[in-house]
Amino acid sequence: MPQNQLNSIVVTTSGLCGGLGKALTAHLVLANITFHGTIDVAFYAAISALVGYGVKKGIDSMLIYFKRRKK
């Protein structure tokens, strides 16, 4: 699988899990969704995606470092 596609999958999954987690912990139900709540969930999902992407890039960098070090 190409690296860009793998990164997209990791970031999308992280954002989705973060957003759904925020929605569930905030006890949002369909009748209770407000514009402010939607913005909060979207913001949290974006932050979760950024953190997931940062962790993925960090792990990739560490793996490259250790592979080069073994040679």
Side-chain angles (χ1 to χ4, degrees):
M1 183 176 277
Q3 187 67 27
N4 288 341
Q5 188 177 9
L6 184 61
N7 286 345
S8 297
I9 291 169
V10 170
V11 170
T12 302
T13 303
S14 174
L16 177 65
C17 291
L20 287 175
K22 175 69 173 175
L24 292 173
T25 58
H27 304 292
L28 293 176
V29 294
L30 201 52
N32 198 22
I33 294 178
T34 64
F35 181 72
H36 180 68
T38 304
I39 296 299
D40 284 347
V41 170
F43 181 72
Y44 186 81
I47 296 297
S48 296
L50 284 173
V51 169
Y53 183 74
V55 168
K56 168 77 171 89
K57 294 302 276 183
I59 291 171
D60 288 345
S61 297
M62 285 178 27
L63 288 174
I64 290 169
Y65 172 76
F66 286 120
K67 283 181 183 178
R68 286 184 183 162
R69 191 172 167 191
K70 284 184 179 182
K71 290 182 182 180

